[in-house]
Amino acid sequence: ALGAAGAATVLGGSQQSEAAVWSKPGIGAQVIPNALKSAEKTYPLRFVTYFSRFMLTYDTSSVNWWRDSVDTSDVLLKGASGKGILQPRLDQFARFAASAEVGLARYPGEDGTEALLELMLRRYGDISKEALKQICFLFALLDDCQPTEQIAEVLSRADNVSVSEVKVSSRGSGYTAGNPDVTITTPDYKPAAEASAVALLRDNGRVAGIKVTEGGKGYAKPPKIVFERTVAVNNETNTELKLELDQDQINQPFKPPVTEVVIDSEGYVVDVKVLKRGSGLWKGTYEWAFEAPLPNPKVSNVTEALEEEEKMAAKGTLVMDREIDKVVVASPGSGYSPAFPIEVSIQAPEECKNSLGLESPLYQPGERAVGTVALGKPKFDNDPVPTKAEEENLRFVKIQSEELAKVDKDLTSLIESSVGLSYQSSSKKFKFIETSALGFNVSTSFGPRARVPILKDDVISWSQFTSIGVAGGVCAAVAHGALVPLDTVKLKLQTAPPGKYDNIFDASVKVLRDEGGLKTFVNGFQPETLGSAIYGFLSFGGTEILRRTATSIVGPVVALQNPVPILVVSSCLASVVAAAISCPFQAVKVRMVADENYGPGANMIGGFQRLIREDGALALVQGVTPFLVKDVTFVLSKFSVFDVVSKAIYFSYPQFREDLQLTLLVSLVSGIVAGICAAVTSHPGDYLFSKANQKSGATVMSAWNDYMDKKDYGVILTGLSPRLLYGGLLIALQFCIYDYCRVLFHVSPGELNVFLDVVAGIAKSTPAQ
């Protein structure tokens, strides 16, 4: 059934899309599950499903496949709504995601993720900045093997923003020696061009120091320095005097600095220490001066009088404290990304070049200014996310279903480019700033992923077809041969006179006790095993070739959505041929079970000889009609019920699709239920076939007339209980044996099918523009 997905291949010929890349998954029944398991070690489900969304947006071959699968939906979904539309599309996406994951298994570990990222950059990196950003989003979803250095480089190309502003958060103080250097650094990556900035200074209304220009004369003790405000500062004053003060400066209170004047032994002022810098000392709003030397009231001689006349006040120059006014971006640089922390360092005042000669330790140390960097906003002018309206119209032109268009848009939309990434220096990994996008938690999944990829049939040779038939023959022979004792009890119940056996247990006991013991249970072993081997060879092998032929006839579009009907029809046709050819073996088996002495020593050859001798060669096929009815109804019921039951289980428990063991369990349970139901629907045909071959002279018509004459219509259900058990066990055994045989004979699905190799297609496909 799985091989019906995609374009078909029959013996000697193939059809396949030029854009798509189809690859063999490998050898063995478990090659696909093993590939999925291997990929999961590196790529979490959220990566796989988002990778699928990316490919369905940017990769031409993937977009074409998605569009074709929409056309396929038109076959089944015209007029459908709700889950009738959503579920088939979800299934298609899930299978596509599985195809992607099988391909991702070829890129394991850190080396694998780095190689995959490089491959995607070569293919999609030149489409647009949006594609680059989406690649960054994709690889940020990785856990342990995140290629952070490459993501950083790609983010630099994708965001490619410049420094727009350096904001001063703390202006600092003490910048009296000159303008500090400003350094903008990115410790975690290197931008394409580094930005540069220049700091501009301003007075902060405080006194950093007083430089003595004239020491005065005649000071007996250190003089005071007097500061007086001459103009009250307010908004009007600021405007009138053009002081260019901000509101914080205007509100700063006037406080004179606290100073300590130093004089020498001759009465000269030699230095001034500023103990407290004061505040509110704005140019033009105050006056200051050294106090003059105090006069000597007791002048006693001419010399003292001359000294008194020579006294004079000291003079000096105020050195105002300076702070950062603003930082001007001189060169904005390029290649920056908001995902990374950007550091700005403003030089400390003590590190600045001293252009004013302020070397005195009497000056108070300043405080370092602090700033932060603001980046420009990334521009994405050609953003294809979400899907443009004209692309949607083109994609859904055949269906014209708004509901289906919405479903498709939801499944292929990508995270908006404005969503932020953040580089965590501690873990050295990228994380999403937002916890969710598109309604999905980025820590979980962006859609479903099946356990089986998109498959199509590969070219099959006659030797492979023969091997499939041999695998089917071995499977049928072993399964049917193992159940011969149960089938014997069923036939005993059907062919014995009424009342001889009460039930399956009574029949088993009486056969052991009164009818030959254990050997009676295997009387029909030879014809059952050989007939089943022939039946299995023709049925399994014929089903494979007929399914491939039917798929080729209806085309890949119809086949993609109808794998089960195609498989059922093919299997029924193959069963008709197989049943007709194996019917003689079943006829002999019935006679040998009904009469334990029919074939001497349970010998099949002897049974054939006696049947032909007594009733003629036509007796071998006289029961072919009910036998065909039995087999065809069994096949129809088996596949139909299996499909219904498995879908019902997955509908109720969709999480079962994500676990290999659970999917195998679902298949086994569905198969057993299907076998039991098939046993019920095919039992009337089985009953008539047994009665028609019970004894010499019996025919299908005689069996039917006898059934109708008795008017006991319930008798047709005789032997149903062992047949129910038989049907369930038969499917269970075949489930276990057939896959093993196909692997043993090198005709497993992995060797007869190819899968849509989404990852390999990156190297060959054309990027979607």
Side-chain angles (χ1 to χ4, degrees):
L2 298 176
T9 304
V10 296
L11 290 170
S14 66
Q15 298 175 343
Q16 81 176 28
S17 169
E18 292 181 359
V21 175
W22 299 86
S23 302
K24 281 186 175 293
I27 298 176
Q30 295 300 311
V31 62
I32 289 177
N34 289 341
L36 295 175
K37 185 182 295 185
S38 174
E40 288 168 0
K41 294 178 181 179
T42 302
Y43 302 98
L45 180 60
R46 62 179 180 270
F47 180 97
V48 174
T49 50
Y50 198 74
F51 175 81
S52 301
R53 286 174 177 261
F54 179 93
M55 297 298 288
L56 291 174
T57 299
Y58 288 106
D59 183 73
T60 296
S61 62
S62 299
V63 170
N64 289 341
W65 177 85
W66 189 247
R67 182 187 61 244
D68 292 342
S69 63
V70 173
D71 296 341
T72 303
S73 301
D74 190 37
V75 177
L76 291 179
L77 301 180
K78 269 187 175 176
S81 61
K83 286 192 174 181
I85 289 177
L86 176 61
Q87 193 57 50
R89 211 63 174 133
L90 284 172
D91 292 342
Q92 291 162 357
F93 181 92
R95 295 279 297 279
F96 183 85
S99 291
E101 189 168 8
V102 172
L104 289 172
R106 295 194 295 266
Y107 294 86
E110 293 183 5
D111 292 341
T113 59
E114 292 176 1
L116 178 64
L117 193 151
E118 288 297 328
L119 183 66
M120 295 184 70
L121 284 179
R122 287 198 298 269
R123 173 52 57 187
Y124 312 110
D126 294 331
I127 296 177
S128 65
K129 291 169 60 178
E130 296 73 29
L132 291 173
K133 192 62 178 286
Q134 294 300 329
I135 291 174
C136 295
F137 286 156
L138 174 64
F139 284 87
L141 294 170
L142 290 173
D143 292 322
D144 299 327
C145 300
Q146 195 178 101
T148 52
E149 292 185 5
Q150 292 170 291
I151 296 175
E153 294 176 3
V154 179
L155 268 178
S156 177
R157 291 170 54 189
D159 291 334
N160 192 28
V161 293
S162 302
V163 174
S164 61
E165 181 183 6
V166 177
K167 299 179 180 179
V168 179
S169 56
S170 175
R171 298 183 183 276
S173 64
Y175 288 100
T176 56
N179 291 51
D181 294 334
V182 178
T183 306
I184 299 174
T185 58
T186 50
D188 298 309
Y189 75 111
K190 185 176 179 62
E194 294 183 347
S196 61
V198 176
L200 302 181
L201 300 175
R202 70 178 187 181
D203 292 349
N204 63 7
R206 298 177 176 87
V207 176
I210 299 176
K211 190 173 183 179
V212 179
T213 57
E214 295 182 16
K217 187 177 181 181
Y219 285 103
K221 65 178 182 178
K224 293 182 180 180
I225 301 176
V226 179
F227 287 82
E228 292 182 357
R229 173 162 261 179
T230 58
V231 178
V233 178
N234 52 40
N235 288 320
E236 290 76 13
T237 307
N238 186 30
T239 302
E240 292 173 1
L241 299 182
K242 299 180 180 179
L243 298 178
E244 298 183 358
L245 303 177
D246 60 31
Q247 195 61 46
D248 289 338
Q249 291 173 310
I250 292 173
N251 294 335
Q252 195 177 112
F254 177 78
K255 292 181 180 180
V258 178
T259 60
E260 180 181 317
V261 179
V262 180
I263 63 174
D264 60 12
S265 58
E266 297 180 0
Y268 292 95
V269 175
V270 295
D271 200 0
V272 178
K273 296 179 181 179
V274 177
L275 305 180
K276 293 185 180 180
R277 300 183 183 189
S279 64
L281 299 166
W282 309 117
K283 185 177 180 181
T285 66
Y286 67 95
E287 292 180 351
W288 75 281
F290 284 92
E291 285 184 336
L294 294 176
N296 185 0
K298 300 178 180 181
V299 176
S300 59
N301 53 51
V302 174
T303 301
E304 290 179 352
L306 291 174
E307 291 176 353
E308 191 68 24
E309 290 177 1
E310 292 177 356
K311 285 182 178 181
M312 53 186 252
K315 295 180 180 181
T317 302
L318 290 184
V319 179
M320 299 304 297
D321 193 6
R322 309 196 80 191
E323 65 185 12
I324 304 298
D325 180 18
K326 57 185 175 182
V327 176
V328 178
V329 177
S331 174
S334 63
Y336 287 95
S337 171
F340 293 93
I342 301 179
E343 299 176 356
V344 57
S345 175
I346 301 175
Q347 193 175 21
E350 62 271 17
E351 298 172 355
C352 296
K353 183 178 180 181
N354 193 329
S355 62
L356 299 180
L358 299 179
E359 301 290 351
S360 172
L362 300 178
Y363 290 101
Q364 294 182 343
E367 295 180 357
R368 188 171 195 154
V370 179
T372 57
V373 173
L375 294 176
K377 187 176 181 180
K379 294 181 180 180
F380 299 96
D381 300 326
N382 186 30
D383 200 334
V385 182
T387 310
K388 296 178 181 177
E390 58 268 25
E391 292 173 349
E392 293 177 1
N393 292 336
L394 177 64
R395 184 175 291 178
F396 304 107
V397 65
K398 293 185 179 181
I399 300 178
Q400 298 180 354
S401 167
E402 292 183 3
E403 200 165 356
L404 184 55
K406 181 180 183 301
V407 168
D408 189 81
K409 178 180 176 181
D410 291 343
L411 282 173
T412 58
S413 295
L414 298 174
I415 300 173
E416 293 184 1
S417 301
S418 59
V419 172
L421 288 175
S422 175
Y423 180 75
Q424 309 294 316
S425 299
S426 57
S427 63
K428 295 185 178 181
K429 292 180 181 178
F430 287 90
K431 300 291 183 183
F432 281 86
I433 296 176
E434 291 80 358
T435 57
S436 63
L438 299 175
F440 293 96
N441 188 314
V442 295
S443 64
T444 55
S445 170
F446 290 90
R449 190 263 285 117
R451 301 303 306 184
V452 178
I454 305 297
L455 297 172
K456 78 169 187 176
D457 297 326
D458 195 10
V459 176
I460 182 174
S461 65
W462 284 107
S463 63
Q464 287 175 310
F465 166 70
T466 303
S467 296
I468 293 173
V470 172
V474 172
C475 170
V478 173
H480 284 264
L483 296 175
V484 162
L486 188 59
D487 188 50
T488 297
V489 174
K490 184 264 301 182
L491 283 172
K492 287 288 187 181
L493 288 169
Q494 290 176 329
T495 59
K500 182 176 182 179
Y501 306 117
D502 295 333
N503 50 52
I504 181 175
F505 301 105
D506 182 54
S508 300
V509 171
K510 289 181 177 177
V511 168
L512 283 171
R513 186 184 62 198
D514 305 327
E515 300 178 25
L518 290 174
K519 66 177 184 179
T520 304
F521 282 107
V522 294
N523 267 355
F525 180 81
Q526 291 181 8
E528 173 71 8
T529 303
L530 184 56
S532 296
I534 296 172
Y535 181 92
F537 179 91
L538 296 173
S539 177
F540 284 94
T543 297
E544 185 71 16
I545 191 62
L546 288 173
R547 179 187 63 77
R548 289 168 177 265
T549 303
T551 301
S552 178
I553 292 173
V554 302
V557 170
V558 178
L560 183 64
Q561 287 298 319
N562 298 273
V564 174
I566 290 175
L567 181 61
V568 169
V569 172
S570 302
S571 186
C572 286
L573 293 175
S575 295
V576 168
V577 176
I581 295 176
S582 63
C583 182
F585 294 90
Q586 297 298 317
V588 171
K589 180 196 73 173
V590 172
R591 292 285 180 96
M592 292 176 68
V593 172
D595 180 1
E596 56 269 21
N597 297 316
Y598 192 82
N603 184 281
M604 179 184 67
I605 302 299
F608 268 102
Q609 291 173 342
R610 181 174 175 179
L611 180 61
I612 294 172
R613 185 175 61 252
E614 293 180 356
D615 297 306
L618 290 178
L620 294 171
V621 294
Q622 67 172 352
V624 70
T625 301
F627 191 66
L628 290 177
V629 171
K630 178 194 77 168
D631 258 45
V632 171
T633 54
F634 189 91
V635 169
L636 282 171
S637 300
K638 177 177 67 174
F639 285 114
S640 301
V641 173
F642 181 91
D643 188 51
V644 170
V645 173
S646 60
K647 284 183 176 179
I649 295 174
Y650 285 131
F651 181 82
S652 301
Y653 304 97
Q655 66 273 22
F656 283 10
R657 296 179 183 270
E658 305 305 321
D659 188 283
L660 176 60
Q661 303 302 324
L662 289 176
T663 57
L664 294 175
L665 179 61
V666 169
S667 297
L668 181 59
V669 170
S670 302
I672 292 174
V673 174
I676 293 172
C677 293
V680 174
T681 58
S682 64
H683 193 71
D686 181 76
Y687 174 82
L688 288 175
F689 180 79
S690 297
K691 297 300 287 185
N693 290 281
Q694 176 181 354
K695 58 185 178 180
S696 179
T699 63
V700 175
M701 288 306 300
S702 66
W704 176 255
N705 291 333
D706 182 61
Y707 168 70
M708 297 300 293
D709 291 342
K710 290 181 179 178
K711 295 184 178 181
D712 182 8
Y713 302 119
V715 74
I716 205 169
L717 299 179
T718 301
L720 179 60
S721 56
R723 197 157 190 274
L724 290 177
L725 185 59
Y726 181 90
L729 291 175
L730 180 66
I731 298 298
L733 286 172
Q734 288 183 338
F735 177 85
C736 298
I737 298 171
Y738 185 55
D739 280 346
Y740 175 79
C741 290
R742 292 190 66 168
V743 173
L744 186 65
F745 297 124
H746 302 291
V747 286
S748 65
E751 294 164 283
L752 300 184
N753 293 326
V754 288
F755 76 101
L756 180 62
D757 199 339
V758 179
V759 178
I762 296 176
K764 297 184 179 180
S765 63
T766 303
Q769 301 290 343

